[in-house]
Amino acid sequence: MKYYFLFFILLINEYKSKPLSQCSNAVATFYEPYDKGGACGFGYPKMYGAAIDDKMYKLGEKCGICYELVGPKGAVKIMVDNYDPDDEMAKDNWPHFDCHRNTFEQIAEAKWGVLNITWRMVSCGHEGNIMLNTFSGAHEYYYSFVVSNHEIGLKHVYYSSDNKEWTLLTRDGDYNRWTVPGQIKFPAYFQFESIDGEKVSTIINELKAGYTHDTGVQFKVPEKYFDARSLIEVPKIDEKCCKLFDAYTQIYYDGRFYSEWGDVSDAKKDYNINCVEEGKKCIKFEFSNWNVFKFMNRFKAEAQRYKAIEFYVKSETVCNNCLNIKFNNFNWHSISTSEANKWEKVTLLLKDLGSESDIESFMFQGASKDYLVIYFDQIKLVKSDYVDNGKCADKDDPDDRGSGSESNIDNINLWLIINIIMLVLLFN
């Protein structure tokens, strides 16, 4: 009996959500907290939340669906409670999550403002049942309501006056409300259908405007998987935690700096087409008077993930130790070229550049103040043998509005203390 009880204690200590979709890329920003709730009509947020772009929102169908977002600082589970009708942040078919500020701060520093993330749909982990929240102005000829606290996506709502014939209701996408057509009769029967196709029913016995009804029912978490945008069922997915968006590997290629890398050079540079690959753009940099070609990442890449920087270089004249490179703020390292106007591939181990510390910036400078023309192309980091197991949100707590990651840690520590106490009691 003791072992069964011990198993139960360990079981309730599990905070992971059930993955329902594959990991994908997205853009994240934040906006300041609000007190009255968003377009989904759920009111004051009771868990981490975010607004999504209009295309993703799709007339309210994503309201109440939960997602796991992964950024440089960690992972967080959110529930969609709002949308942006004039959103221009979504790009390359990536959705945009405009997070509550405290949500954003679980995955990134607020000063970063905008970042690329990974995300997937997950079960919400709600306590209790589906709730039916009647509109404050509801009456027998206008019975409108919001459905909340559903464990997975809500696809359809049906109404019946006799529990036999059912009317499919239409969702008002701007407010996420469902409205009974014509006059409602009581008792009224409602049926909720999940994106999985499961239907659960409840009965409302009287008209109460501005009232929250506990329906007494809840959706089951399905052993199925979905496309997170279309909500269409897909074959089995890999349920491993989402990996951090790769904001580091690709630095420069064909006229652009990638992801979070940015050029912060202090001198003029041009783009040239006589590159490693014909027709692509490479960088032409004119070194003189100790100016530098420098690029840096807004985030520091973990040193364990990368082992080297790799790039192609070409000089207009033979260059014997005439070009220096500095990794972060460590010592200069000299580079030579063997032949004029010839592309040469250079691979430099980070440990040879001064330290195996987290990666932030690289800087090139001429070895003298004399005029020197150098071309650069296809700059990238080389990955190490580090195995990225991804990141999952720490816990499921729909009553935690998200006061910060410290509260999550405190709760987990509390469970650990309780477990230890129970173990002592069980085996004494």
Side-chain angles (χ1 to χ4, degrees):
M1 183 66 181
K2 290 182 178 180
Y3 296 105
Y4 286 112
F5 192 62
L6 173 61
F7 174 76
F8 174 73
I9 293 172
L10 295 177
L11 183 63
I12 61 176
N13 203 9
E14 177 60 60
Y15 291 122
K16 305 301 181 184
S17 296
K18 167 71 167 59
L20 297 174
S21 76
Q22 194 66 266
C23 297
S24 303
N25 297 324
V27 178
T29 57
F30 73 87
Y31 65 108
E32 297 299 332
Y34 52 85
D35 296 329
K36 297 182 180 179
C40 292
F42 298 144
Y44 190 76
K46 295 181 179 179
M47 63 182 291
Y48 290 118
I52 53 176
D53 62 270
D54 189 35
K55 186 177 180 181
M56 179 75 170
Y57 182 73
K58 204 173 180 180
L59 296 177
E61 76 168 12
K62 303 303 191 307
C63 282
I65 291 182
C66 292
Y67 299 95
E68 197 171 63
L69 311 183
V70 180
K73 282 182 61 177
V76 64
K77 184 177 65 178
I78 64 102
M79 185 181 72
V80 172
D81 58 10
N82 203 356
Y83 82 107
D84 186 345
D86 300 311
D87 199 331
E88 297 181 355
M89 293 297 299
K91 65 175 185 179
D92 300 329
N93 204 34
W94 294 6
H96 170 213
F97 291 88
D98 195 12
C99 304
H100 305 177
R101 184 189 180 102
N102 58 348
T103 301
F104 188 87
E105 290 175 340
Q106 303 309 302
I107 60 173
E109 298 291 343
K111 64 182 180 181
W112 294 335
V114 181
L115 75 155
N116 297 322
I117 61 171
T118 51
W119 66 287
R120 65 178 174 182
M121 182 167 64
V122 296
S123 58
C124 288
H126 290 309
E127 294 180 359
N129 303 312
I130 296 172
M131 298 294 176
L132 189 151
N133 314 292
T134 53
F135 175 51
S136 58
H139 51 79
E140 62 178 323
Y141 290 99
Y142 183 68
Y143 192 82
S144 184
F145 56 91
V146 170
V147 181
S148 64
N149 212 55
H150 37 89
E151 183 64 15
I152 63 173
L154 176 64
K155 185 177 181 180
H156 295 304
V157 176
Y158 305 85
Y159 159 73
S160 175
S161 60
D162 57 10
N163 203 23
K164 295 179 181 179
E165 296 185 5
W166 295 90
T167 300
L168 175 64
L169 303 184
T170 301
R171 177 171 10 208
D172 179 345
D174 288 335
Y175 301 101
N176 189 35
R177 289 183 192 161
W178 308 84
T179 304
V180 174
Q183 182 181 8
I184 188 172
K185 297 181 180 180
F186 293 95
Y189 302 89
F190 294 95
Q191 196 172 76
F192 312 109
E193 182 179 355
S194 74
I195 59 173
D196 180 39
E198 179 190 12
K199 292 181 179 180
V200 294
S201 301
T202 193
I203 181 173
I204 305 297
N205 291 307
E206 58 182 319
L207 196 159
K208 290 184 178 181
Y211 184 79
T212 299
H213 298 269
D214 186 328
T215 67
V217 294
Q218 181 59 271
F219 293 138
K220 297 176 183 177
V221 178
E223 294 300 323
K224 296 179 182 178
Y225 307 94
F226 306 86
D227 177 271
R229 299 198 67 137
S230 67
L231 304 182
I232 296 173
E233 186 180 344
V234 297
K236 182 174 175 60
I237 64 167
D238 184 351
E239 291 194 13
K240 292 180 181 178
C241 299
C242 293
K243 295 181 180 181
L244 182 69
F245 176 82
D246 188 354
Y248 313 101
T249 304
Q250 187 76 277
I251 299 177
Y252 172 87
Y253 177 73
D254 193 22
R256 61 174 285 202
F257 283 86
Y258 277 74
S259 190
E260 312 303 336
W261 288 101
D263 178 23
V264 291
S265 303
D266 65 356
K268 179 183 177 182
K269 69 177 184 303
D270 295 311
Y271 292 101
N272 192 283
I273 60 172
N274 297 316
C275 306
V276 177
E277 293 182 52
E278 186 177 348
K280 303 296 183 181
K281 293 180 181 179
C282 49
I283 297 172
K284 177 184 177 182
F285 200 93
E286 301 178 10
F287 292 98
S288 63
N289 296 316
W290 308 113
N291 61 348
V292 297
F293 168 39
K294 182 178 181 180
F295 45 88
M296 64 187 302
N297 202 296
R298 291 194 301 158
F299 319 125
K300 290 185 178 181
E302 298 172 274
Q304 61 187 345
R305 293 175 178 267
Y306 300 94
K307 63 181 180 181
I309 181 173
E310 180 180 287
F311 55 93
Y312 285 86
V313 66
K314 180 175 69 172
S315 60
E316 290 191 346
T317 58
V318 176
C319 174
N320 183 24
N321 290 330
C322 59
L323 181 65
N324 292 329
I325 179 174
K326 179 183 283 190
F327 166 47
N328 291 348
N329 290 314
F330 298 109
N331 296 328
W332 291 104
H333 181 92
S334 296
I335 299 174
S336 301
T337 58
S338 61
E339 189 176 327
N341 292 311
K342 176 186 176 182
W343 283 108
E344 299 179 38
K345 184 177 181 179
V346 178
T347 302
L348 300 172
L349 296 178
L350 299 181
K351 64 180 181 180
D352 292 339
L353 292 179
S355 172
E356 295 181 86
S357 67
D358 289 347
I359 303 162
E360 183 175 17
S361 68
F362 293 92
M363 182 164 61
F364 292 90
Q365 186 181 60
S368 70
K369 64 181 298 184
D370 297 334
Y371 182 78
L372 174 70
V373 178
I374 299 287
Y375 299 82
F376 299 90
D377 201 4
Q378 299 185 19
I379 308 170
K380 66 179 184 179
L381 291 176
V382 180
K383 291 186 176 181
S384 66
D385 296 329
Y386 170 76
V387 178
D388 185 355
N389 292 317
K391 296 181 180 180
C392 286
D394 290 331
K395 57 172 285 194
D396 291 338
D397 189 355
D399 295 322
D400 179 5
R401 184 174 173 267
S403 57
S405 58
E406 292 82 4
S407 63
N408 288 352
I409 294 171
D410 290 342
N411 281 314
I412 292 172
N413 288 336
L414 177 61
W415 275 113
L416 181 60
I417 293 171
I418 292 173
N419 284 343
I420 293 172
I421 293 173
M422 294 306 298
L423 285 171
V424 173
L425 294 175
L426 284 169
F427 293 102
N428 282 338

